[in-house]
Amino acid sequence: AQKITQTQPGMFVQEKEAVTLDCTYDTSDPSYGLFWYKQPSSGEMIFLIYQGSYDQQNATEGRYSLNFQKARKSANLVISASQLGDSAMYFCAMRPLGIYNQGGKLIFGQGTELSVKP
Amino acid sequence: DVKVTQSSRYLVKRTGEKVFLECVQDMDHENMFWYRQDPGLGLRLIYFSYDVKMKEKGDIPEGYSVSREKKERFSLILESASTNQTSMYLCASREATGLRNEQFFGPGTRLTVL
């Protein structure tokens, strides 16, 4: 079964510190993509970062980086220098890239609610 | 600027009513999706469409149907609303080609069924 697991329902971090949000996945597909989305209290989903299963290097986008450990099937999001505006729900998602997913559907985890303290 | 819009931010309906949730994207995307979001469960796929008039069931299609008559519009239909369909509904779209293409989401519709 294909599944995404986020084991931290909620986390706190002090402003300006780094924080790691955990994500593990389960798939038998050899090719897949991993995404992180942010959902502020307003409700819209904002794409943050993407990692392909065959990418040689960990993805980075500004203050966001993805700690991809393929053998462990983990894709943790690291946010450096947290800001108050980072307070939101964060979702990890996987897109199997096999022929049975031509529509590009995503499988989401349960989410982690991050609160940044001043 | 890319945009996905949903017809309502908040909706209150009564049990047994037929409910239409509309989604429109202006990016000429082939693929469109409907999810529902519930606390502790993340987002679950209800239906998706990879082309006009083409649709496929997602993980939780029971009690829902969809319509895609035009490329830019994807409608979710609750044939007979029930209280367990009270949820946040999110529409998304993506360009079909390209492995890295992310899904773009609308602002969501918070539906309450009384």
Side-chain angles (χ1 to χ4, degrees):
Chain A
Q2 296 173 334
K3 191 177 178 181
I4 292 279
T5 302
Q6 294 178 254
T7 56
Q8 307 152 313
M11 287 193 70
F12 289 91
V13 65
Q14 204 67 37
E15 195 178 6
K16 299 180 185 176
E17 291 186 353
V19 63
T20 298
L21 306 183
D22 293 342
C23 172
T24 57
Y25 59 92
D26 189 14
T27 181
S28 54
D29 284 2
S31 299
Y32 47 89
L34 296 158
F35 299 77
W36 277 92
Y37 281 85
K38 171 184 178 182
Q39 187 182 43
S41 57
S42 53
E44 80 273 24
M45 296 279 284
I46 302 166
F47 166 71
L48 295 178
I49 197 166
Y50 170 87
Q51 177 84 44
S53 58
Y54 288 111
D55 291 344
Q56 294 297 312
Q57 293 188 327
N58 287 347
T60 60
E61 291 284 348
R63 293 187 298 111
Y64 304 108
S65 60
L66 204 152
N67 183 3
F68 180 48
Q69 298 189 41
K70 194 171 182 177
R72 291 187 172 186
K73 294 191 173 180
S74 75
N76 299 339
L77 177 71
V78 181
I79 306 174
S80 63
S82 297
Q83 301 172 356
L84 296 178
D86 293 334
S87 293
M89 184 74 84
Y90 289 81
F91 289 97
C92 179
M94 175 176 64
R95 179 186 161 220
L97 297 175
I99 60 170
Y100 298 108
N101 190 22
Q102 295 298 301
K105 62 182 180 181
L106 294 175
I107 301 160
F108 283 86
Q110 309 93 316
T112 295
E113 185 160 11
L114 177 67
S115 298
V116 180
K117 295 188 205 177
Chain B
D1 202 14
V2 298
K3 204 163 185 185
V4 179
T5 56
Q6 295 182 229
S7 49
S8 306
R9 290 301 304 269
Y10 300 93
L11 209 52
V12 180
K13 295 291 181 181
R14 298 214 172 267
T15 302
E17 281 192 74
K18 191 168 186 176
V19 182
F20 294 86
L21 302 183
E22 306 284 341
C23 174
V24 177
Q25 50 96 2
D26 65 0
M27 297 164 280
D28 201 35
H29 286 168
E30 293 83 2
N31 301 152
M32 295 188 75
F33 308 82
W34 274 106
Y35 296 91
R36 67 176 278 175
Q37 180 181 0
D38 300 288
L41 297 178
L43 279 72
R44 293 178 292 166
L45 183 66
I46 305 171
Y47 267 97
F48 68 100
S49 167
Y50 47 90
D51 205 346
V52 176
K53 297 190 187 291
M54 307 300 286
K55 60 187 180 186
E56 278 198 30
K57 292 180 181 178
D59 300 316
I60 51 165
E62 297 78 18
Y64 303 95
S65 62
V66 289
S67 171
R68 193 164 179 203
E69 297 295 318
K70 293 185 178 182
K71 191 175 185 179
E72 66 272 17
R73 188 179 297 269
F74 191 35
S75 302
L76 179 69
I77 303 154
L78 286 66
E79 297 290 344
S80 178
S82 63
T83 55
N84 62 13
Q85 292 178 310
T86 291
S87 186
M88 169 74 101
Y89 290 87
L90 290 160
C91 174
S93 72
R94 72 178 284 274
E95 193 177 322
T97 54
L99 299 178
R100 295 171 180 269
N101 292 344
E102 73 269 29
Q103 292 185 14
F104 293 88
F105 283 82
T109 296
R110 190 165 292 281
L111 173 68
T112 301
V113 183
L114 301 175

